[in-house]
Amino acid sequence: MTTVLRQRPASLPLSLACRALGLNRSTVYARHKATQSNQQPRTSRKHCRQPRALSEKERGEVRQTLYSEEFRDQPPFEVFSELLEQGRYLCSESTMYRLLRADGSQGDRRKQRPAQSHAIPRLVATRPNEVWSWDITKLPLQKRGVYLSAYVVIDLFSRFILAWMISRKENSALAQQLMDEALSRYQVASGQLTIHQDQGSPMIAHSYLDLLGERGVTGSHSRPRVSNDNPFSESQFKTTKYQPDYPGRFESVSHARQWFESYVDWYNFEHHHSGLAGFTPEQVFTGRYQELAVTRQQALDRWYQANPERFVCGRPVAHMPPTSVAINPISSEEAKLGVPSAVNFPTLARAKHTARETTLILE
């Protein structure tokens, strides 16, 4: 095994190679050190007999007791406690477990669901209307225990809120109506869009997934109980609920709609998003940020020419929004192993238009 590790490619980290071969990295280092110093590697403790261990006769007696008619259906804890009440001590409880594991007799007798392995969603957006993300959050009413549901769809590349809805219910029928309206409003062509969502019941309903299939939309889902797989929607909800004028508790559906309509207008057209280099979602969604970036750069140049001594790092440059936005991007180690990344589409020329929100209000 050490020869195989020494012959591994230089781009392959030792930690990943040991993981693939089922080896302990500390053991590999120890054997390598012992080989260089011409010493025999130390044998692990599991290969050395413990002088205080039970004899074969004592082990046989313990096994005979565990497999007896009286105790064969009981766990070692029950057996150990019962033997003590009878004034008998054969071994410790942990030794009973160890002997049963060695015999392959330790484990749950009921059928267990095997461990699930879910694919990591990896999405990359390089232009608007390439990847959408949506989720549902709860808005509490003043009456305790009563909540409204806020459905919000955002564009991954620009963070632009494309559609939103306030409802007393949370079901797949409302999700279908919202998504069908948004797809029609933005004239999304078949095969153009991927919609990412979590594992909520409206998102995995057959009727909702059928709608996506009919419209030629690719559906993507987060892994169960992994909120980080839908970070942009979660971040947008935090922005919503951390607004200074957020009521905390709404008086009614109409109150929630009125406040949310004002918030969406501010978020899309006035909010200088930190993830977009200070541009608003609408500016990135429509492509107007390119003209505004020229204005920003001219302002910086004028200030630099007037006060060059204040810029110790040289001429300032206006920052631009990222050219691609990804959910679970490929890490550097995975890139070295050749893990395929998502396909990047070239940025297309976009006509300017006035973005507006899709609003559906259902009581």
Side-chain angles (χ1 to χ4, degrees):
M1 285 298 182
T2 55
T3 304
V4 174
L5 293 174
R6 285 197 298 267
Q7 295 176 352
R8 75 184 190 280
S11 60
L12 179 63
L14 179 63
S15 59
L16 295 180
C18 291
R19 190 184 308 168
L21 297 174
L23 298 176
N24 189 305
R25 188 169 47 173
S26 300
T27 302
V28 173
Y29 283 130
R31 292 184 177 180
H32 178 68
K33 182 178 180 180
T35 303
Q36 289 183 335
S37 59
N38 296 324
Q39 296 179 358
Q40 186 68 21
R42 292 182 298 175
T43 305
S44 61
R45 295 199 320 176
K46 66 180 181 180
H47 297 113
C48 301
R49 178 172 176 79
Q50 169 60 246
R52 293 188 295 271
L54 298 178
S55 64
E56 289 299 327
K57 180 180 179 181
E58 291 172 325
R59 290 169 180 257
E61 184 180 356
V62 174
R63 284 190 170 95
Q64 183 178 2
T65 303
L66 292 173
Y67 297 136
S68 65
E69 184 72 21
E70 181 182 1
F71 297 119
R72 65 182 183 183
D73 293 328
Q74 300 298 326
F77 178 78
E78 294 284 350
V79 178
F80 181 79
S81 301
E82 182 64 27
L83 291 177
L84 285 182
E85 290 185 359
Q86 298 177 7
R88 300 171 58 193
Y89 180 90
L90 300 178
C91 64
S92 65
E93 180 185 344
S94 60
T95 299
M96 293 182 181
Y97 278 108
R98 188 162 49 249
L99 293 177
L100 290 176
R101 280 197 302 269
D103 295 345
S105 302
Q106 174 63 21
D108 203 316
R109 302 180 184 182
R110 297 168 297 173
K111 291 184 178 180
Q112 298 292 309
R113 180 184 180 183
Q116 303 295 302
S117 178
H118 299 274
I120 301 176
R122 300 188 188 277
L123 302 173
V124 177
T126 58
R127 55 182 172 81
N129 289 333
E130 184 177 8
V131 179
W132 291 359
S133 170
W134 78 284
D135 202 354
I136 302 173
T137 189
K138 297 298 183 182
L139 305 178
L141 293 179
Q142 291 184 353
K143 184 179 180 181
R144 292 285 180 178
V146 181
Y147 295 86
L148 303 175
S149 294
Y151 299 61
V152 181
V153 184
I154 65 172
D155 177 68
L156 187 65
F157 181 78
S158 64
R159 318 300 204 278
F160 187 80
I161 295 181
L162 302 157
W164 61 276
M165 175 176 62
I166 304 294
S167 174
R168 294 184 181 274
K169 303 176 182 179
E170 179 180 327
N171 55 44
S172 60
L174 297 177
Q176 293 174 62
Q177 186 174 351
L178 173 68
M179 204 58 66
D180 188 52
E181 170 71 15
L183 293 172
S184 300
R185 173 70 57 84
Y186 295 97
Q187 300 178 356
V188 177
S190 178
Q192 167 188 342
L193 178 66
T194 298
I195 296 181
H196 182 69
Q197 56 258 305
D198 57 24
Q199 296 279 346
S201 56
M203 292 85 162
I204 60 175
H206 292 294
S207 55
Y208 168 76
L209 298 178
D210 290 342
L211 170 67
L212 298 186
E214 293 172 0
R215 300 298 295 265
V217 175
T218 301
S220 170
H221 289 83
S222 303
R223 290 167 291 178
R225 298 172 296 280
V226 181
S227 60
N228 291 342
D229 281 350
N230 198 6
F232 296 95
S233 287
E234 299 291 348
S235 178
Q236 188 278 133
F237 285 147
K238 181 176 181 180
T239 302
T240 302
K241 297 183 179 182
Y242 273 68
Q243 289 304 299
D245 62 337
Y246 180 72
R249 292 184 176 274
F250 294 90
E251 298 175 1
S252 61
V253 176
S254 59
H255 178 212
R257 183 209 177 197
Q258 181 182 8
W259 184 90
F260 219 86
E261 187 174 7
S262 175
Y263 161 75
V264 171
D265 186 70
W266 168 84
Y267 182 89
N268 280 342
F269 299 95
E270 301 178 29
H271 173 42
H272 295 279
H273 202 293
S274 60
L276 302 176
F279 293 96
T280 67
E282 179 270 336
Q283 292 167 355
V284 178
F285 186 77
T286 59
R288 293 197 306 117
Y289 73 94
Q290 298 177 357
E291 296 179 3
L292 295 173
V294 175
T295 304
R296 288 187 177 191
Q297 187 61 55
Q298 292 174 349
L300 291 174
D301 290 340
R302 287 194 300 269
W303 188 255
Y304 175 68
Q305 293 172 3
N307 305 277
E309 71 281 356
R310 297 182 178 179
F311 298 88
V312 296
C313 295
R315 174 177 174 267
V317 178
H319 295 289
M320 299 290 286
T323 57
S324 65
V325 180
I327 293 178
N328 293 325
I330 303 295
S331 64
S332 57
E333 287 191 354
E334 292 172 325
K336 292 179 181 179
L337 293 176
V339 176
S341 60
V343 178
N344 289 328
F345 296 92
T347 303
L348 304 178
R350 297 180 296 275
K352 295 181 182 178
H353 67 281
T354 302
R356 60 195 178 97
E357 74 278 5
T358 300
T359 308
L360 299 178
I361 307 300
L362 298 179
E363 295 289 344

